[in-house]
Amino acid sequence: GVEEGGGVRRRVPPIELKLVPLEEGSEVTLNSDVMILQRQMDRRKAVVYLTLSGLLIFTTAFLLGYVAFRGMCRLCGNDGELIPLSDAAGAQHAPEGGVMYMAELREMLKKYLTEERIESTLSRASHPPGSSEGNAVAREILQNLQNLRMDHTWTDSHYATLQFPSRTQPNTLWLVNSEGEELEEIPLDSEGYCAYSATGTATGGVVYVNYGRREDFEQLRALGIALNGSIAVARVGGAVSFAEKVWHAQEAGHVGVLIYPDPADVPQDPRRLGLHSNAVISEHVHLGSGDPFTPGFPSFNHTQFPSTQSSGLPIIPAQPISANVASKLLSQLSGSSCPRGWQGRLPYVQCVLGPGFTGPGERRVKMAVYNTMKPVLLNNIFASIEGKIEPDHYIIIGAQRDSWGPGAVKSGVGTALLMELARTFSNMVENGKHMSLCSEESALLAFALILVHLSCLFVCRVKPLYLNSGAYSFTAFGGVPAMQLHFTEDARSYPFVNTQLDSVGRLQELLQGRLGSVGRAVAELVGLMVLKLSHDQILPLDVTCYSNTVQQLSSKLNQHTAQLQSRGLSPQWVFSARGDYSRAAKNLHEAIKNSDIQDERLARLYNTRIMRVEYYFLSQYVSVVETPFRHVFNGRGDHTLSALADHVSLLRSAPHLFNEARFRRQLALFTWTLQGAANALSGDVWNIDNPL
């Protein structure tokens, strides 16, 4: 029928009544038939009522969800319909207090980044630390950040002890006879020096040590080359810093180090964008980070602290030399031929190791370093955009500001990109009307002009942080996840970093005028990384990767099981700790996958555990003053995984050098640190499986 009030017409399904003939003698009466029919009617009515009730509940829930979602939908028009992403991303304003979607943030980032500002921001003059030029750059950056109306802008000033070439007594190099009389002075670049070198003179024969890596010195010992009392000549490169080269040479017994750029590693044809043969590359030789006279703590007023210095300061002098000077020295050496792969491309050099010289008489080399220490006022500049959910968590983007020489790649590009990102994020916040760049895990974007530089070119390659990286100390010293970006043009290298030739003009020449566009691409990559870290509910950091690293150690220990057991040593405890860490990492991953990550409290707990993983791997069993890089995977020292692996390898390569007491200590310190990390990552130490 048709319902009153204009209701819809509904057709009620008919109820079929079937007459069944009764068998003879049946006791069933008419009343029982009526009861059966009544039960069938009641059952069908219940089904109809349940169906109608279900439809009513579904419709009500759908309408409520629609109304709620319509207010949240950032990609919906006024009538609630979805609109194209490009139109949504182009909107100038976000709802008051709303959190923008990642797709919108990505489009805004691309919209506001510009090439022109990156090029115009590049400094084109030398601005070393503490100089008037450097202070002028600092004031300009501070003013620009203040004009951007960041949430907070401030400076931090302190004195640091830096080393510079002496203005009155230049560093020198001579050839001398057996009595020490100076036969010939070899001219040096007056501006080239190794900061934090030991000062004084050193005299000895010359030994060519290739790149000055640990394995290079081991090979020299195996060949029986006399190293004690000689001066090492090492070439730039080999994936080791100047500081590591000098440290290895010092450990081997050398009394001084000379470091040069070999044409095999550093292009040296000025007609094809290369160094000239008289150019030198300068780099510090402190096996550490920051002010070496305040190791392990900030460089505040020195008068308030007891006199101390970093254990990473060398005790032998070091000096950079040019390819021409290296050729003059190495072409006169006598002795054994170089191992395969050590031959560079110096002209007129037949690769021999030394330490003697050809020709009549006994000749040696004398070097003198007269660098001077000076306290310098440094100004770090900070600006921040405060987040919404967790204002006590930070993402730090940094760049080196000062430079030795013009520093286009060393500091200029990084600073220019940093300022462009600061301007871009500021515009995104302003035009998003209080939009939050952060979701659940990270709440503050701090633009800190610290010693992290971004080179300007591009390569798809991932490598561990190296000692001379500005980001290295964040992880190895502070236990903070960090990375540094380097960009390299395919098949072309930029040889001018850490030289007086690192200029904007040469950089533009290498890039064929594409500095602005390449810089913008780099800034966009960094910006997207920041947005990803700040927007996702759970930090996109993989805590399982260290399990694989420890597994490699386990495999190496297994290879030496027989030798270890013969000495009463067992790696069982490190295997147990590795298992605990692997389980803790896997369980955390599963817990996150099966949890409601929209729960702010829960997300914060997970993110705190993820962020602290690097901190868990800082060894608690070594002194921060004596061993500042305490990270057992990325640090430096006897407590590290690499040191443990190198030591156990001696069981086969040089059993007489294996030190059982030292190995026991190394194994114990590493195992305790790994177990502590497993306990902390687990979040529940009572459920960790430690079978006895």
Side-chain angles (χ1 to χ4, degrees):
V2 179
E3 297 180 351
E4 293 182 1
V8 297
R9 182 181 183 91
R10 296 187 180 178
R11 184 175 298 275
V12 181
I15 299 176
E16 180 180 359
L17 298 179
K18 186 173 183 180
L19 298 178
V20 180
L22 296 177
E23 294 182 358
E24 187 176 3
S26 173
E27 297 289 331
V28 179
T29 63
L30 179 60
N31 289 338
S32 63
D33 288 338
V34 172
M35 291 175 65
I36 293 173
L37 178 61
Q38 184 65 40
R39 290 194 187 102
Q40 291 177 344
M41 295 274 296
D42 291 343
R43 190 178 296 113
R44 291 176 180 268
K45 285 182 179 180
V47 172
V48 172
Y49 290 151
L50 287 174
T51 302
L52 291 175
S53 299
L55 288 172
L56 179 62
I57 293 172
F58 174 80
T59 303
T60 304
F62 175 81
L63 291 174
L64 288 173
Y66 172 79
V67 172
F69 177 76
R70 183 181 175 217
M72 296 170 58
C73 182
R74 303 283 300 113
L75 299 179
C76 299
N78 294 331
D79 295 328
E81 74 278 6
L82 290 176
I83 59 178
L85 174 62
S86 58
D87 295 335
Q92 292 294 314
H93 302 289
E96 189 75 21
V99 177
M100 303 187 74
Y101 289 128
M102 186 64 184
E104 292 179 285
L105 296 175
R106 187 183 301 115
E107 291 300 319
M108 290 185 73
L109 177 70
K110 293 180 180 180
K111 174 181 177 181
Y112 289 118
L113 279 174
T114 63
E115 300 177 11
E116 295 77 13
R117 291 179 180 271
I118 294 175
E119 290 194 54
S120 63
T121 306
L122 273 171
S123 174
R124 298 174 185 272
S126 178
H127 47 285
S131 65
S132 57
E133 296 85 358
N135 292 333
V137 173
R139 287 192 296 270
E140 179 183 351
I141 290 174
L142 177 62
Q143 184 62 57
N144 289 340
L145 290 174
Q146 290 172 338
N147 294 340
L148 292 176
R149 292 177 292 182
M150 294 281 190
D151 291 332
H152 308 282
T153 304
W154 71 100
T155 63
D156 173 66
S157 301
H158 56 272
Y159 280 92
T161 302
L162 306 182
Q163 193 182 61
F164 300 95
S166 171
R167 295 184 177 181
T168 59
Q169 200 171 12
N171 298 340
T172 52
L173 191 66
W174 296 276
L175 283 174
V176 298
N177 61 20
S178 57
E179 284 74 35
E181 295 176 347
E182 299 170 3
L183 302 176
E184 178 186 356
E185 181 175 349
I186 302 174
L188 297 178
D189 185 326
S190 61
E191 295 183 318
Y193 76 112
C194 290
Y196 298 123
S197 164
T199 56
T201 62
T203 304
V206 171
V207 175
Y208 173 58
V209 298
N210 197 25
Y211 292 111
R213 301 169 298 191
R214 188 180 300 276
E215 57 265 35
D216 294 332
F217 286 102
E218 290 175 354
Q219 195 162 2
L220 287 169
R221 292 190 192 96
L223 292 172
I225 305 300
L227 304 180
N228 266 350
S230 64
I231 292 175
V233 175
R235 52 174 167 162
V236 173
V240 287
S241 65
F242 279 30
E244 291 167 296
K245 297 176 192 293
V246 174
W247 188 263
H248 294 155
Q250 180 176 297
E251 286 185 322
H254 290 282
V255 295
V257 182
L258 301 172
I259 305 174
Y260 76 97
D262 195 287
D265 309 295
V266 183
Q268 297 194 20
D269 184 352
R271 298 168 298 177
R272 297 184 178 180
L273 206 64
L275 291 179
H276 55 74
S277 57
N278 286 318
V280 301
I281 296 178
S282 295
E283 195 175 293
H284 78 81
V285 291
H286 171 218
L287 194 70
S289 181
D291 187 344
F293 297 96
T294 55
F297 53 92
S299 183
F300 295 125
N301 190 337
H302 291 179
T303 62
Q304 302 301 314
F305 294 93
S307 177
T308 185
Q309 69 179 42
S310 168
S311 59
L313 281 175
I315 60 175
I316 61 175
Q319 174 69 24
I321 59 175
S322 67
N324 279 350
V325 171
S327 181
K328 181 179 181 64
L329 295 176
L330 298 181
S331 63
Q332 301 181 60
L333 289 187
S334 62
S336 302
S337 297
C338 294
R340 183 185 299 273
W342 285 35
Q343 175 75 54
R345 294 180 186 168
L346 289 174
Y348 314 115
V349 173
Q350 297 294 324
C351 191
V352 294
L353 298 175
F357 283 83
T358 59
E362 182 183 344
R363 288 181 296 164
R364 297 183 296 170
V365 166
K366 178 182 177 181
M367 60 182 295
V369 173
Y370 302 111
N371 302 338
T372 58
M373 297 289 187
K374 177 183 177 183
V376 175
L377 179 64
L378 302 179
N379 297 292
N380 286 331
I381 304 171
F382 300 84
S384 66
I385 299 174
E386 190 168 337
K388 179 180 179 182
I389 304 299
E390 297 179 16
D392 57 334
H393 289 165
Y394 307 87
I395 299 172
I396 299 178
I397 314 173
Q400 179 174 326
R401 189 184 70 242
D402 50 32
S403 71
W404 179 78
V409 165
K410 183 67 174 179
S411 66
V413 171
T415 299
L417 298 185
L418 185 69
M419 295 306 297
E420 179 60 12
L421 283 169
R423 186 194 64 81
T424 298
F425 284 137
S426 177
N427 285 342
M428 290 172 68
V429 172
E430 181 178 355
N431 291 298
K433 291 189 73 175
H434 307 299
M435 78 167 189
S436 172
L437 291 178
C438 310
S439 181
E440 310 303 325
E441 80 290 347
S442 305
L444 188 66
L445 299 180
F447 298 95
L449 299 184
I450 49 184
L451 294 178
V452 183
H453 79 272
L454 302 178
S455 294
C456 61
L457 315 175
F458 181 74
V459 64
C460 300
R461 195 165 51 207
V462 179
K463 298 189 295 185
L465 289 173
Y466 58 96
L467 180 64
N468 232 25
S469 161
Y472 178 79
S473 292
F474 281 86
T475 299
F477 176 82
V480 177
M483 70 174 297
Q484 177 166 335
L485 301 182
H486 284 269
F487 298 87
T488 309
E489 187 82 342
D490 290 340
R492 301 187 71 186
S493 62
Y494 183 80
F496 305 113
V497 178
N498 290 327
T499 76
Q500 292 288 342
L501 304 174
D502 181 13
S503 66
V504 175
R506 288 184 174 86
L507 183 56
Q508 281 283 31
E509 183 180 351
L510 177 74
L511 295 175
Q512 299 177 345
R514 298 178 292 117
L515 176 57
S517 60
V518 172
R520 187 189 181 283
V522 175
E524 185 176 334
L525 173 60
V526 178
L528 288 174
M529 291 171 59
V530 171
L531 293 178
K532 177 71 173 173
L533 286 168
S534 62
H535 187 273
D536 287 2
Q537 281 83 3
I538 300 297
L539 284 170
L541 301 177
D542 182 12
V543 298
T544 65
C545 60
Y546 285 122
S547 300
N548 299 329
T549 304
V550 182
Q551 178 61 49
Q552 295 173 11
L553 171 67
S554 300
S555 300
K556 177 168 285 192
L557 291 174
N558 279 329
Q559 295 172 9
H560 300 86
T561 300
Q563 295 98 321
L564 291 173
Q565 289 180 345
S566 67
R567 298 170 181 262
L569 300 171
S570 171
Q572 179 58 40
W573 288 111
V574 75
F575 294 164
S576 175
R578 181 190 65 82
D580 286 344
Y581 181 84
S582 298
R583 282 188 293 273
K586 181 180 178 180
N587 291 341
L588 177 60
H589 178 74
E590 291 297 320
I592 293 172
K593 187 170 65 174
N594 297 320
S595 298
D596 177 13
I597 60 175
Q598 301 298 331
D599 184 328
E600 292 181 12
R601 184 192 66 83
L602 196 59
R604 180 182 177 89
L605 289 175
Y606 288 146
N607 285 320
T608 298
R609 285 157 68 181
I610 292 172
M611 282 190 298
R612 300 284 285 179
V613 166
E614 302 292 355
Y615 183 79
Y616 301 151
F617 285 121
L618 296 182
S619 176
Q620 304 176 48
Y621 310 106
V622 293
S623 166
V624 69
V625 175
E626 295 298 322
T627 311
F629 300 134
R630 296 179 296 144
H631 200 288
V632 294
F633 292 107
N634 299 313
R636 293 290 189 277
D638 217 35
H639 64 288
T640 62
L641 175 66
S642 60
L644 176 60
D646 289 343
H647 194 179
V648 76
S649 297
L650 294 176
L651 285 170
R652 289 186 179 176
S653 61
H656 62 286
L657 296 178
F658 182 83
N659 186 315
E660 183 176 319
R662 177 190 170 209
F663 180 79
R664 287 181 183 274
R665 175 180 170 81
Q666 286 180 305
L667 191 64
L669 296 189
F670 178 79
T671 302
W672 293 339
T673 302
L674 181 61
Q675 186 66 61
N679 296 350
L681 186 62
S682 170
D684 184 3
V685 297
W686 310 114
N687 288 330
I688 290 183
D689 182 19
N690 272 323
L692 296 177

